[in-house]
């Protein structure tokens, strides 16, 4: 499938501007993780573009299903099947919501970076200028360790970057932050 197909699905499911930005952020981070893992000699599945698409779509039906844990990812799955999307994308989207085992690097990566993108956005919003460029890996690490900050961002889930992807947390934050900073205009931050 193509990025255009993914954007159409986001629109057809009626995503709000904020949900679109969340998807975009996850997609940019996913593409950066693909490149990183490849450089490390791992074998990330499919392509950089497909990883971006999987990130973009992971929460595509979150609002449509009224944030129901039971229904989340089911609408997206139907649409992905309908257009004959790659099985890896479907499994990764479902995997982040525990609807499928996380077997692939793509699936494990979405699971780990999803909550981190939220933490990074929250950290940017408390900067005086509310900009991603004002953040550093160190400042995000401090927010990560401060359990009372953005308490909804699941730290254990983010830390699966170490157990599942073998990427040290600090490096994982650095890759993700840089990817989001590169697209700060698109993210409105
Ligand atoms: Fe998400």
């Amino acid at each position: 499938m193509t990025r255009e197909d993914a954007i159409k699905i986001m629109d057809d499911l009626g995503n709000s501007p904020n949900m679109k930005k969340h998807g975009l952020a996850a997609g940019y981070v996913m593409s950066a993780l693909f490149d990183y893992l490849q450089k490390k000699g791992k074998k990330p599945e499919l392509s950089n573009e497909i990883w971006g698409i999987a990130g973009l779509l992971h929460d595509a039906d979150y609002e449509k299903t009224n944030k129901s844990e039971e229904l989340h990812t089911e609408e997206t799955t139907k649409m992905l099947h309908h257009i004959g999307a790659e099985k890896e994308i479907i499994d990764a989207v479902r995997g982040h919501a525990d609807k499928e085992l996380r077997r692939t690097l793509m699936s494990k990566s979405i699971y780990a970076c999803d909550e981190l993108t939220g933490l990074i956005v929250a950290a940017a919003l408390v900067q005086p200028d509310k900009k991603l460029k004002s953040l550093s890996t160190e400042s995000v690490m401090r927010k990560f360790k401060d359990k009372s900050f953005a308490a909804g961002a699941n730290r254990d889930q983010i830390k699966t970057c170490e157990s599942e992807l073998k990427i040290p947390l600090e490096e994982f934050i650095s890759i993700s932050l840089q990817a989001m900073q590169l697209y700060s205009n698109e993210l409105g931050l």
Side-chain angles (χ1 to χ4, degrees), residues 22 58-59 96 114:
H22 173 62
H58 79 282
D59 273 342
H96 99 277
D114 182 10

Side-chain angles (χ1 to χ4, degrees), residues 87-152:
K87 183 180 187 305
E88 290 88 344
I89 300 177
I90 299 173
D91 285 352
V93 166
R94 297 182 65 79
H96 99 277
D98 291 324
K99 299 284 174 73
E100 186 67 53
L101 285 176
R102 290 182 287 276
R103 301 180 185 87
T104 60
L105 288 170
M106 193 197 303
S107 185
K108 291 170 182 177
S109 294
I110 292 192
Y111 186 71
C113 80
D114 182 10
E115 298 279 305
L116 178 58
T117 63
L119 182 77
I120 291 174
V121 169
L125 291 176
V126 297
Q127 300 306 304
D129 60 2
K130 297 187 166 48
K131 295 288 183 197
L132 285 164
K133 70 170 167 34
S134 300
L135 293 174
S136 62
T137 299
E138 295 67 36
S139 63
V140 176
M141 272 299 273
R142 279 197 297 278
K143 298 291 190 206
F144 182 93
K145 287 177 185 159
D146 175 1
K147 297 276 153 64
S148 65
F149 179 80

